[in-house]
Amino acid sequence: MSKLSTFFSLAAGVSDRLREARTRLGLKQVDLAAFGDISRATQVSYETGVTEPTTQYLRGIESAGIDIPFILFGHDKAEFEEISKPGQDVNWTALQQAYESVEFFCLRVAPLCPARYRWQMVSQLYRHLLERASSGSMPVSDHEANEVISQAWASYGRS
């Protein structure tokens, strides 16, 4: 696995890093919630790991100075710039597709799936989407996405 693909492995602890990033900037929960266009109660649920942040929220809080790579991957922007080539960036469309596919799967199949494992499934699907896009293959179908998620979920009990 390359250094860049390792960098893009979604790390457990999103809620802890979100809280840490907010406090580093000296923001209150209600302040960051305003940037993310959510309620304070939703902000609290994101910071406690009860619910997962949406990509729309992440885009909003980025304007507050929140380091999104740190939140998602556990690495700050400086580390990213150190290992990345010019022009590489997070594929927000693929990340949103991965997140929404996993959320839909969990609502139907695994409603008690822990947040930390959901992010691992998002990471696996995101990498799959990026690999398919880089190979010039057809876009990933909903069926194929569900297969990737199902395989990840099946391995959950064994990890």
Side-chain angles (χ1 to χ4, degrees), residues 41-89:
T42 302
Q43 180 70 36
V44 169
S45 72
Y46 288 170
E47 290 187 20
T48 57
V50 172
T51 57
E52 302 282 329
T54 65
T55 52
Q56 180 179 353
Y57 166 80
L58 293 171
R59 284 188 198 110
I61 66 169
E62 189 172 35
S63 66
I66 296 292
D67 186 344
I68 300 303
F70 172 71
I71 300 299
L72 296 177
F73 309 114
H75 307 287
D76 62 25
K77 285 182 181 177
E79 289 177 86
F80 172 71
E81 289 169 1
E82 197 174 294
I83 65 166
S84 67
K85 297 176 186 170
Q88 290 183 323
D89 204 357

Side-chain angles (χ1 to χ4, degrees), residues 97 129 132-133 136-142 144:
Q97 180 185 352
L129 293 170
R132 285 291 299 273
S137 299
M138 296 288 290
V140 173
S141 67
D142 289 340
E144 184 179 348

